[in-house]
Amino acid sequence: MQNKFSVVVLEDELTTRERLVRVITSSEQFTCLAACETLAAGRRALDEFTPDILLLDIDLPDGNGLELISYLEGERAKTKPVVVTVFEDSRHVMEAISVGAAGYVLKDDPSISIEQALLMILEGGAPISPAIARQILLKFKDTQATSDDATDELSSEVAEDAPEEHKKIESLTPREREILVMVSDGFTDKEIAREKNISYYTVTTHVKRIYQKLSVKTRVEAARQAIKHGIIAQT
Amino acid sequence: MQNKFSVVVLEDELTTRERLVRVITSSEQFTCLAACETLAAGRRALDEFTPDILLLDIDLPDGNGLELISYLEGERAKTKPVVVTVFEDSRHVMEAISVGAAGYVLKDDPSISIEQALLMILEGGAPISPAIARQILLKFKDTQATSDDATDELSSEVAEDAPEEHKKIESLTPREREILVMVSDGFTDKEIAREKNISYYTVTTHVKRIYQKLSVKTRVEAARQAIKHGIIAQT
DNA sequence: CTGTAGATCACTAGTCATAGGTATGTTGAC
DNA sequence: GTCAACATACCTATGACTAGTGATCTACAG
């Protein structure tokens, strides 16, 4: 019988951590070397062990779990990092991938189990949740598109990203942009209505359209998009 | 009543074609304008209609379905092409994406239904099967690795500003920071509660304290502060 | 031991936001 | 003149958020 593959878990939240450990230890093929709940503890665990797989959360009390991925370079390169998290926005996903995540699985994703994910890694695959896949596809289409036109953009110091996403922002009408700016500045719909001397209902209608065009569901998400695309100043 | 979203199906194999049409016509939100079984017929259908969505197979008796995707440029750009196929090798996948597929779904994929895929498209998403996502992720990591000077430094060099404001952020407890991160990522209090396995009331209490400490009144303002002070990444 | 800070939970009342609709008037393009 | 896009306005559920208040528990410093 071949040795089991080793795993280190880094997850602050108790029940999820226990779930991960349970899955690993109850498997024939895996063994759990350590289960940490802080970034610092994770780093110590990686000083002690060089597991085959590192399951890590992003949002930890003492920092960003992704920092540990770069820590795996060199001596510890044998360890494949798999992100297990709730964040499914493209920012987190892309950050994880750009620092070298070998997989990205959403907590509580019924369509991909933790054990499946671990097995995929061993086969050289890249376990990934469907929801995440979408984000990657969109981004990928980006880089494809942007690398086509080598015509330089002197202008925007705003990060060149997804034409798909740019299109979304650009499809906003002037009035909608004005409203988005105020939304992003923390004004309520009622305040915006007063400020612009239009009906409250009109504001809600604009806001609805903005959400549809940006594919978001809340003002916070809309504000994030606005900042990301330079619609509003963020110094 | 708003019009239903229109779909054209291009699939040579009878049972799959019927299945697709059945799903579409039985849905409240979609209507099927045409169901074709050859490339030529598909082209004719696109001359006649400009559907919201084109579901297409790759392997057709008279050619490669992907040809139709480039046919959608210009006048017909409104139509989003979604590939529905059995091919899961990276060559087919990459080809489809590079010609502009908005989605890539495997036939008989239990983890993503056709109707789900259609809805994702309307929301500006990109439906994709997990198995396909893996291929893309691997490719993506390649291109990242080869052209990796441009990848920005994620290290935060947040502008040093008003010290009093820094104090505000710094007065947040670790737990409060975690909550703030999730608030800034657009999660609702309820979602945060579920994720962190604490009561909804506890979340609202944390949020209240955060507002007090940051001297704000809404989540959007709190998110702005969080971004400004580098508590969360803004890629 | 006592006080303080942090994290947890609870309830209520009032306000706001979001998601469905529907509808009207203006403008500019074809 | 018709059509499409835009801005405007209204209505109604339902759910989410905010503010105020009070309370328990743990851990740790003094």
Side-chain angles (χ1 to χ4, degrees):
Chain A
M1 177 69 196
Q2 129 172 27
N3 278 336
K4 291 184 176 186
F5 295 100
S6 54
V7 184
V8 163
V9 172
L10 174 55
E11 160 66 61
D12 60 328
E13 204 246 307
L14 178 65
T15 60
T16 304
R17 189 172 64 247
E18 285 181 339
R19 185 164 65 89
L20 294 175
V21 171
R22 201 175 331 111
V23 168
I24 295 163
T25 54
S26 68
S27 160
E28 287 294 306
Q29 300 163 78
F30 299 101
T31 177
C32 185
L33 296 181
C36 320
E37 50 186 311
T38 63
L39 195 57
R43 214 183 297 268
R44 281 196 299 276
L46 290 178
D47 287 335
E48 188 172 356
F49 310 112
T50 304
D52 295 294
I53 295 171
L54 171 64
L55 288 184
L56 70 148
D57 192 10
I58 291 181
D59 180 31
L60 298 170
D62 57 341
N64 187 323
L66 297 179
E67 289 175 24
L68 269 195
I69 294 183
S70 32
Y71 195 60
L72 290 174
E73 283 166 11
E75 291 288 301
R76 289 174 276 265
K78 172 192 146 202
T79 300
K80 301 286 184 192
V82 177
V83 175
V84 180
T85 185
V86 289
F87 296 112
E88 54 181 305
D89 56 295
S90 81
R91 194 169 37 80
H92 280 103
V93 175
M94 288 304 133
E95 194 185 345
I97 287 168
S98 69
V99 299
Y104 197 113
V105 181
L106 292 179
K107 289 178 187 175
D108 310 316
D109 185 338
S111 68
I112 188 170
S113 76
I114 298 298
E115 190 165 8
Q116 276 176 336
L118 296 175
L119 289 170
M120 277 187 201
I121 283 286
L122 297 183
E123 290 162 5
I128 188 157
S129 295
I132 297 308
R134 271 188 289 163
Q135 308 285 357
I136 295 173
L137 178 57
L138 288 174
K139 275 284 177 185
F140 194 84
K141 289 187 64 174
D142 256 5
T143 58
Q144 294 264 315
T146 48
S147 59
D148 276 347
D149 60 275
T151 46
D152 57 329
E153 298 283 323
L154 305 174
S155 54
S156 60
E157 70 157 38
V158 177
E160 288 304 319
D161 52 341
E164 296 278 337
E165 300 215 333
H166 259 303
K167 262 184 221 152
K168 291 183 186 173
I169 285 273
E170 279 157 13
S171 71
L172 295 180
T173 68
R175 193 55 157 171
E176 284 163 359
R177 279 163 191 255
E178 291 176 39
I179 304 289
L180 176 55
V181 168
M182 293 197 71
V183 165
S184 306
D185 280 328
F187 290 94
T188 67
D189 289 349
K190 215 183 273 183
E191 287 166 344
I192 296 171
R194 219 175 302 139
E195 177 66 22
K196 296 221 169 282
N197 276 302
I198 55 180
S199 154
Y200 161 77
Y201 294 113
T202 306
V203 177
T204 66
T205 302
H206 283 311
V207 170
K208 262 184 292 196
R209 295 242 171 82
I210 292 169
Y211 287 2
Q212 283 166 7
K213 288 182 177 178
L214 300 185
S215 309
V216 299
K217 288 191 180 313
T218 69
R219 356 194 91 210
V220 173
E221 291 172 294
R224 289 290 292 267
Q225 294 274 321
I227 292 170
K228 185 172 172 183
H229 295 281
I231 297 293
I232 60 173
Q234 173 72 19
T235 310
Chain B
M1 178 64 195
Q2 146 164 12
N3 280 333
K4 291 185 178 186
F5 295 100
S6 54
V7 184
V8 164
V9 172
L10 174 55
E11 159 68 61
D12 59 329
E13 205 241 309
L14 178 65
T15 59
T16 304
R17 188 172 64 248
E18 285 182 338
R19 184 165 64 91
L20 293 176
V21 171
R22 200 174 334 111
V23 168
I24 294 162
T25 54
S26 68
S27 161
E28 288 293 307
Q29 299 163 80
F30 300 101
T31 177
C32 187
L33 296 181
C36 320
E37 48 185 313
T38 64
L39 195 57
R43 213 183 299 268
R44 281 195 301 275
L46 290 179
D47 286 335
E48 186 172 357
F49 310 111
T50 305
D52 295 294
I53 294 171
L54 170 66
L55 289 184
L56 71 149
D57 193 10
I58 291 181
D59 181 29
L60 297 168
D62 58 340
N64 186 326
L66 297 181
E67 289 174 26
L68 269 196
I69 294 182
S70 32
Y71 194 60
L72 290 174
E73 282 166 11
E75 292 289 302
R76 289 174 277 265
K78 170 190 149 203
T79 301
K80 301 285 184 189
V82 176
V83 175
V84 179
T85 185
V86 289
F87 297 113
E88 53 181 308
D89 57 295
S90 80
R91 197 171 43 81
H92 279 104
V93 175
M94 287 306 139
E95 193 187 344
I97 288 167
S98 66
V99 299
Y104 197 111
V105 181
L106 292 179
K107 289 177 186 174
D108 309 317
D109 186 336
S111 67
I112 188 169
S113 77
I114 298 298
E115 191 164 8
Q116 276 177 336
L118 296 176
L119 289 171
M120 277 186 201
I121 284 285
L122 297 184
E123 289 163 5
I128 188 160
S129 295
I132 298 307
R134 270 185 289 163
Q135 306 283 355
I136 296 174
L137 178 56
L138 291 174
K139 275 280 179 192
F140 195 85
K141 289 187 66 173
D142 280 352
T143 58
Q144 291 265 317
T146 51
S147 64
D148 204 19
D149 326 272
T151 39
D152 58 332
E153 293 298 315
L154 296 165
S155 62
S156 61
E157 45 181 277
V158 178
E160 291 302 322
D161 52 341
E164 330 92 47
E165 298 221 332
H166 260 304
K167 262 183 219 155
K168 289 183 185 173
I169 284 272
E170 279 158 12
S171 71
L172 295 179
T173 68
R175 194 55 156 173
E176 285 163 359
R177 279 164 190 254
E178 291 177 41
I179 304 288
L180 176 56
V181 168
M182 294 196 71
V183 165
S184 306
D185 279 321
F187 290 93
T188 67
D189 288 351
K190 213 184 275 184
E191 287 168 342
I192 296 171
R194 213 178 306 137
E195 168 53 26
K196 298 229 169 272
N197 276 300
I198 56 181
S199 154
Y200 162 77
Y201 294 115
T202 306
V203 177
T204 65
T205 301
H206 284 311
V207 171
K208 264 181 292 195
R209 296 245 168 79
I210 292 169
Y211 287 1
Q212 284 165 8
K213 288 182 177 179
L214 300 185
S215 311
V216 299
K217 288 191 176 311
T218 70
R219 0 194 88 211
V220 174
E221 291 172 295
R224 288 288 293 267
Q225 294 278 319
I227 292 169
K228 189 171 172 182
H229 295 282
I231 296 294
I232 60 175
Q234 174 73 20
T235 306

